[in-house]
Amino acid sequence: EKSACECPHVLVADDDPFQKFYYQTLFLKSISFDDLNIEKENFVLEVFSCGEDLLERFDSKQKCPCDKDCLFVILDFNMGETKLNGLETAVALRKKGFNREILLRTSDSEEFFKEKFPDWEDMKKDEVITCVLDKSNHTETKEIVHNLLKKSLP
């Protein structure tokens, strides 16, 4: 029986419209649900074009009586000059008590983050960001996302 709750299992923020299509394809076509503890049609993915919208949705989800945790979050790093970037969004999620995996999917190099953010190593050590995914490596993204779904679904 289908519950009335439409809370998302996975939240994504990426300002690129193509990436929205990428995530829908990744979750609904690329990933096999055969060994996952959920039917594909019951899986809910929500993609936002900025961190602010994702945080707003996260807040509204906390008020849902379903008490279903978001399994994980995927953030693009760069979401426009005037918007929160993926790291700022991750920090805000952690302050709100989100303690599951946060994946940062980016085309920027590890060196870029080390240079731009002096506390980058601490952020990784403290697991503000659980893992950094290379946007050009679809196979790795698919594997990591599938393994996280497998591990996170009850």
Side-chain angles (χ1 to χ4, degrees):
E1 83 202 30
K2 190 159 166 41
S3 68
C5 172
E6 291 295 314
C7 277
H9 292 92
V10 175
L11 291 171
V12 174
D14 196 313
D15 63 330
D16 178 349
F18 173 77
Q19 292 298 327
K20 183 173 187 154
F21 173 75
Y22 170 81
Y23 285 111
Q24 287 163 339
T25 306
L26 173 69
F27 281 96
L28 303 174
K29 303 244 187 324
S30 293
I31 289 178
S32 161
F33 276 71
D34 296 346
D35 62 345
L36 298 179
N37 211 358
I38 189 172
E39 297 299 316
K40 185 183 283 193
E41 51 277 3
N42 295 335
F43 177 80
V44 184
L45 168 72
E46 285 187 22
V47 184
F48 300 91
S49 57
C50 66
E52 286 83 346
D53 291 350
L54 182 144
L55 290 167
E56 203 173 292
R57 179 62 175 112
F58 180 79
D59 287 343
S60 72
K61 195 198 149 336
Q62 299 314 298
K63 298 179 185 87
C64 181
C66 77
D67 213 28
K68 175 172 89 188
D69 267 336
C70 229
L71 301 178
F72 56 91
V73 172
I74 304 174
L75 301 170
D76 178 29
F77 171 66
N78 191 351
M79 293 186 270
E81 290 303 304
T82 60
K83 299 290 184 184
L84 292 174
N85 68 39
L87 286 179
E88 293 163 333
T89 305
V91 168
L93 276 169
R94 296 298 188 209
K95 284 187 176 148
K96 291 175 181 290
F98 183 71
N99 59 5
R100 298 274 183 106
E101 282 87 353
I102 297 179
L103 312 179
L104 187 68
R105 196 161 162 266
T106 181
S107 29
D108 292 304
S109 69
E110 183 90 16
E111 283 64 45
F112 165 84
F113 288 104
K114 284 180 186 165
E115 271 173 41
K116 195 161 160 93
F117 302 97
D119 54 349
W120 173 247
E121 291 299 329
D122 289 336
M123 290 178 97
K124 284 187 16 191
K125 193 175 77 223
D126 300 339
E127 293 191 0
V128 173
I129 299 292
T130 316
C131 149
V132 179
L133 297 173
D134 177 352
K135 266 194 175 170
S136 64
N137 191 337
H138 173 68
T139 308
E140 179 195 45
T141 299
K142 185 177 147 184
E143 271 175 31
I144 288 175
V145 165
H146 183 263
N147 289 339
L148 268 180
L149 285 170
K150 210 171 166 168
K151 183 179 111 179
S152 311
L153 286 162

